[in-house]
């Protein structure tokens, strides 16, 4: 075989080394994902076709992807999509890349809806729509609204709602939290994965995260600004027996729990993520349907 022929094996090995030097966390996996996208194939094919040379056009495309990833652009932005639960969401630079922790938040809410499948859901700061669209896909009798202050994100969320077949039950609005919602509108569930990183911590984040929209990350001085606003304005928008469900950042469980209690939600549950970090807070009034449901959640 000619020395200068780039076979699948050769180019994966080369890219792995290159990504490692650039500080990419999973160099081999990312090399494979990008190559699959170029070759329009499943990962297993890379292994069965190790000796296959790349076409010049494939090589050109792959080089472009590799350069972007080496500059620490997230794989999801390069591919324009991200798997979330059993779905595939479109993502762009206007949206945060949906995280596995957030899948857990959705799964908990679905569990809370087991005996009340027809509910009205509001997702504050919906981004790509991962939360509200997945919830509606899992709850065929439910209706929902996703709001985001970013027009770019709202446009992506609308596309995702259509792609997942829930557009007829899912409205996406451009709004700063509750602002654009009609005053009298009430919800059974208000869910949010708001920006929760303390402003001062933004500069120290992983290079990839710093490429995500700052507006989706920056939670103000102590990271809690949005929980305060939501728990101030939210009780008027939530049915009196409704549920608040939040994703939270590291070390915020106590503060967010307190905010919920002070807003009158006496049944509060904190749950952990895969990394054993307190990641979700659920709040409702004691003795209500959701208040009882969330008490059944395991902490981890
Ligand atoms: N989960 C994101 C991160 O820590 C933060 C998202 C958010 O602020 N809601 O990278």
């Amino acid at each position: 075989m000619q020395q200068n022929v780039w076979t699948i094996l050769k180019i994966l090995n080369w890219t792995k080394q290159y990504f490692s030097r650039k500080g990419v966390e999973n160099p081999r996996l990312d090399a494979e994902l990008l190559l699959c996208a170029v070759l329009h194939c499943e990962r297993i094919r890379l292994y069965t076709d190790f000796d296959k040379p790349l076409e010049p056009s494939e090589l050109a495309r792959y080089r472009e992807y590799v350069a972007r990833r080496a500059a620490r652009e997230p794989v999801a932005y390069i591919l324009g999509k991200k798997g979330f639960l059993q779905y595939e969401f479109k993502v762009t630079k206007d949206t945060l890349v949906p995280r596995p922790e957030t899948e857990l938040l959705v799964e908990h809410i679905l569990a809370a809806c087991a005996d009340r499948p027809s509910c009205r859901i509001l997702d504050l700061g919906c981004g790509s729509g991962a939360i509200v669209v997945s919830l509606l896909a899992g709850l065929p009798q439910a209706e929902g609204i996703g709001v985001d202050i970013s027009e770019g994100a709202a446009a992506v969320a609308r596309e995702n709602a259509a792609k997942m077949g829930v557009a007829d039950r899912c409205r996406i609005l451009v709004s700063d939290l509750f602002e654009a919602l009609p005053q009298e509108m009430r919800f059974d569930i208000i869910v949010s994965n708001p920006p929760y990183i303390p402003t001062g911590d933004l500069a120290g984040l992983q290079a990839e995260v710093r490429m995500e929209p700052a507006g989706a990350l920056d939670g103000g001085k102590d990271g809690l600004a949005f929980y305060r606003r939501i728990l101030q304005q939210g009780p008027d928008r939530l049915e009196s027996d409704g549920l608040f469900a939040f994703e939270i950042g590291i070390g915020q469980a106590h503060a967010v729990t307190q905010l919920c209690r002070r807003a009158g939600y006496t049944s509060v549950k904190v749950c952990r993520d895969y990394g054993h970090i307190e990641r979700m807070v659920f709040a409702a009034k004691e003795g209500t349907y959701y208040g009882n449901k969330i008490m059944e959640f395991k902490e981890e």
Side-chain angles (χ1 to χ4, degrees):
M1 191 179 59
Q2 275 174 291
Q3 207 54 55
N4 58 352
V5 171
W6 285 104
T7 60
I8 287 178
L9 178 61
K10 201 168 137 188
I11 206 158
L12 284 177
N13 287 337
W14 183 89
T15 312
K16 183 189 166 192
Q17 301 286 326
Y18 182 61
F19 281 170
S20 296
R21 286 203 303 280
K22 296 290 180 182
V24 171
E25 199 170 28
N26 297 300
R28 174 73 188 208
L29 174 64
D30 289 1
E32 291 186 9
L33 293 174
L34 296 177
L35 192 52
C36 286
V38 168
L39 301 178
H40 305 289
C41 71
E42 304 279 333
R43 269 170 76 203
I44 183 75
R45 269 272 309 283
L46 303 179
Y47 288 83
T48 57
D49 291 354
F50 255 171
D51 294 326
K52 202 173 159 198
L54 270 72
E55 303 286 338
S57 61
E58 293 166 345
L59 201 54
R61 197 94 192 281
Y62 185 66
R63 276 188 207 287
E64 183 216 312
Y65 286 0
V66 167
R68 288 169 65 180
R69 186 70 192 98
R72 306 292 295 274
E73 185 172 338
V75 172
Y77 287 163
I78 300 172
L79 304 184
K81 61 188 182 186
K82 175 73 182 175
F84 184 85
L85 296 168
Q86 65 268 50
Y87 313 108
E88 189 173 84
F89 280 83
K90 173 177 172 164
V91 294
T92 70
K93 288 191 167 185
D94 288 321
T95 68
L96 191 81
V97 178
R99 307 283 204 269
E101 303 87 275
T102 311
E103 297 180 337
L104 277 178
L105 178 69
V106 170
E107 284 172 345
H108 279 78
I109 297 170
L110 288 174
C113 291
D115 303 310
R116 226 181 240 197
S118 92
C119 52
R120 294 177 54 89
I121 301 167
L122 173 65
D123 179 359
L124 296 168
C126 66
S128 64
I131 297 175
V132 68
V133 170
S134 303
L135 285 172
L136 294 180
L139 297 165
Q141 302 172 56
E143 290 174 21
I145 296 184
V147 304
D148 205 286
I149 197 165
S150 154
E151 279 183 43
V156 173
R158 272 184 211 115
E159 276 188 56
N160 282 321
K163 189 172 160 194
M164 257 57 87
V166 302
D168 55 332
R169 296 179 286 123
C170 184
R171 271 212 287 158
I172 304 291
L173 304 176
V174 176
S175 176
D176 183 6
L177 299 183
F178 303 95
E179 210 170 77
L181 295 172
Q183 202 64 46
E184 69 289 349
M185 207 174 253
R186 295 287 175 279
F187 299 89
D188 301 298
I189 299 175
I190 296 180
V191 56
S192 187
N193 172 17
Y196 55 60
I197 312 275
T199 308
D201 294 353
L202 290 173
L205 294 175
Q206 231 188 2
E208 284 81 357
V209 183
R210 281 187 273 118
M211 291 210 181
E212 297 185 87
L217 298 167
D218 188 345
K221 198 170 162 48
D222 61 0
L224 300 169
F226 287 90
Y227 304 107
R228 280 193 199 95
R229 287 179 59 196
I230 293 169
L231 285 161
Q232 238 160 39
Q233 302 165 22
D236 286 345
R237 309 295 189 135
L238 191 70
E239 296 287 358
S240 60
D241 61 350
L243 171 71
F244 277 113
F246 298 112
E247 181 172 319
I248 58 164
I250 294 176
Q252 294 177 336
H254 181 71
V256 176
T257 299
Q258 288 295 103
L259 288 170
C260 291
R261 289 193 188 283
R262 266 184 238 135
Y265 298 90
T266 39
S267 181
V268 185
K269 185 80 176 190
V270 177
C271 298
R272 293 172 193 264
D273 67 13
Y274 305 105
H276 214 66
I277 294 165
E278 291 179 322
R279 184 61 71 189
M280 295 159 268
V281 173
F282 301 92
K285 293 196 173 143
E286 227 165 329
T288 60
Y289 167 79
Y290 293 116
N292 294 332
K293 276 283 176 204
I294 62 179
M295 284 305 137
E296 293 167 14
F297 290 166
K298 295 200 180 65
E299 273 171 43
E300 19 229 303

